[in-house]
Structures are given as C-alpha cells and as structure tokens.
Amino acid sequence: MRRDPWQALADPTRRQIIEVLSKSPQTVNTIAENFAISRPAISKQLKILEKSALVTIEKQGRERVCTLTLAPLQEVQIWVQQYEAFWLKKLDKLDDYLKKEG
Amino acid sequence: MRRDPWQALADPTRRQIIEVLSKSPQTVNTIAENFAISRPAISKQLKILEKSALVTIEKQGRERVCTLTLAPLQEVQIWVQQYEAFWLKKLDKLDDYLKKEG
DNA sequence: AATTTGCGTAACCAATCGGTTATATTTATA
DNA sequence: TATAAATATAACCGATTGGTTACGCAAATT
C-alpha cells in the first residue's frame, strides 16, 4: 500500500510534521509536543508519512526516532517545474508577440 | 471557502485535468473526453480547481471555457524548494565533516 | 518486582471525497 | 417553435480521512 507523496502532503498537519523533522530527527512524543492533537493522531500521520517514504521510523529502545527523507519531494518538484517551464514558454510567446506587433 | 492548492493537487484526476489544460484552454466536455468518469464528476473536480484558483471558468454561450492559472503552484514550489535548500545544506555539512575527518 | 514511560493498535465517529444517476436550465440549431 | 447540446445541480452512496478514547505491551526506572 505505497502512498502517493501528493496525497501525503495534502494534509497541513503532515506538512508541519515535515517542518518539525527538518530541524532534526525526533521521537514520536517530541514531535507530538508541537501539536494540539492527541499522540495517537500523530502516530497515524507519521505512519502515512512513512508509507510515502517521507519519513523513516527507527526503533531505539522504547522510543521511535523519526527521520525525514526528502527524496519523494522530487516527484512533486519535477511535476511543478514542468509547469514552470510551460509558464515561462507562454510568457516568451507573449513577449515575442508583443515585440512583433508592438 | 478558499481551497488549499495542496489539497487540490492531491487527486490524480485533478492533476491530469491540469495536464490537459496546459495544452490549451478547453470546454468542460472536451476535457471530459480524456477521462473514463462521468461529465458531472469532471464538473465537480473543475469546481474544486476553480476554488483553489488553479482554473478559471468563463461562460461563452452555452459552453464554459476552462483556463489554467499556474500562480497557485508557486506556493507549492516555494515550499518544496525550501526543503531542497535544507537538503543541500545537509549534504554540505556531510561534505565538510568528511573532509575534516577523512 | 512493581511502576512508569513511550508508543502502537483497535474501535469508533462525524465529515469529506469522489463517484454515480436523474433532473433542470440556458443557449444554439433545425 | 420544438429540439438538441452544454452544462450545472441535487440527491445519493460507499470509501476514506482525521480525529477521538480505551487499551495493550515492551523497555526503562524505582
């Protein structure tokens, strides 16, 4: 049941978890301290992030250390960049047009 | 009821609609031809895209012409790029470390 | 050995999602 | 003017989402 990074990033809480983990790897409880919702809710979101390969969870004693993996963001970035290119091309065409007609 | 672009982009059908519209503005039916799902389903998705400002829908006679607006993608791109920077910085640190210790 | 800590899991719930079919409305066409 | 075309809207539906509380269990602490 592999997860689509788009779907994983759709939720603001999950994006915030990523933000928190970008400072450093952290345990589940430490992450949860940043949020108003319950710890099991955070656990669930972490599992979703894990399934989309954005986070790896490593057992260390009774704690679980969560680490960010940014690789899946590439898919998103490439998709967006493709449209950035399209966008710039369109601007170029407009530019050409204005130069010819102007 | 303004929509989050992240949430709008979470659905693969909606991303595909964006792809279709990136060729040129199109009417609802023309868009729908690209998909196996019903036309009302496409209408719904278009409305979601409209609410997140990714698409504008203009009435022209009995047709509605849908045009792509890529501006909201900037929010996504900036968010992702911020982590690209983080990622590169981390690689730099690793590089420094390896040079010192190596 | 008993207790506390850190976490997962299960059961539940209301809201939202993404689709459907049926119907209504407006505009173009014969 | 009757009809066809393009589309929206409503009512409905099952699945998913994102949260909750209650409970269980292994590891650390006392």
Side-chain angles (χ1 to χ4, degrees):
Chain A
M1 204 222 298
R2 186 63 151 61
R3 286 262 182 175
D4 181 359
W6 285 105
Q7 205 269 339
L9 294 167
D11 183 69
T13 301
R14 285 194 292 268
R15 291 200 301 276
Q16 216 179 322
I17 290 178
I18 290 178
E19 205 180 314
V20 167
L21 286 179
S22 75
K23 322 278 196 243
S24 70
Q26 291 178 48
T27 66
V28 177
N29 268 341
T30 330
I31 295 168
E33 279 168 15
N34 297 278
F35 299 87
I37 61 179
S38 70
R39 196 199 38 73
I42 297 291
S43 266
K44 272 192 178 183
Q45 304 293 25
L46 280 169
K47 196 166 232 175
I48 290 171
L49 288 170
E50 190 186 22
K51 274 178 186 156
S52 64
L54 279 159
V55 161
T56 56
I57 306 179
E58 191 194 353
K59 194 177 171 178
Q60 270 182 23
R62 64 181 163 185
E63 297 182 334
R64 313 282 163 122
V65 180
C66 306
T67 306
L68 195 56
T69 311
L70 290 169
L73 284 187
Q74 279 212 350
E75 184 180 333
V76 174
Q77 196 179 18
I78 286 171
W79 194 89
V80 172
Q81 257 171 3
Q82 159 193 358
Y83 291 103
E84 188 195 23
F86 157 81
W87 183 243
L88 293 175
K89 213 170 69 185
K90 223 172 81 172
L91 285 182
D92 273 357
K93 276 184 190 164
L94 177 65
D95 198 45
D96 288 351
Y97 171 82
L98 291 177
K99 272 178 189 160
K100 269 189 194 162
E101 308 293 319
Chain B
M1 204 224 297
R2 187 61 152 60
R3 286 260 182 176
D4 180 359
W6 285 104
Q7 205 268 337
L9 293 167
D11 182 69
T13 300
R14 286 195 291 268
R15 291 201 300 278
Q16 216 179 322
I17 290 179
I18 291 178
E19 204 180 315
V20 167
L21 285 179
S22 76
K23 322 280 195 243
S24 70
Q26 291 177 48
T27 66
V28 178
N29 267 341
T30 329
I31 296 168
E33 278 169 15
N34 298 278
F35 299 86
I37 61 179
S38 71
R39 199 197 38 71
I42 297 291
S43 266
K44 273 193 179 184
Q45 304 292 26
L46 279 169
K47 198 165 232 173
I48 290 172
L49 289 170
E50 191 186 21
K51 273 179 186 156
S52 65
L54 279 160
V55 161
T56 56
I57 305 179
E58 191 194 352
K59 194 177 170 179
Q60 271 183 22
R62 65 182 161 184
E63 297 183 334
R64 313 283 162 124
V65 179
C66 305
T67 307
L68 195 55
T69 311
L70 290 169
L73 284 187
Q74 279 211 350
E75 183 180 332
V76 173
Q77 197 179 15
I78 287 170
W79 194 89
V80 172
Q81 259 171 1
Q82 158 193 0
Y83 291 103
E84 189 194 22
F86 157 82
W87 183 242
L88 293 174
K89 211 170 71 186
K90 224 171 82 171
L91 286 181
D92 273 357
K93 275 185 191 163
L94 177 63
D95 198 47
D96 288 351
Y97 172 83
L98 290 176
K99 272 178 188 160
K100 269 189 195 160
E101 308 295 317

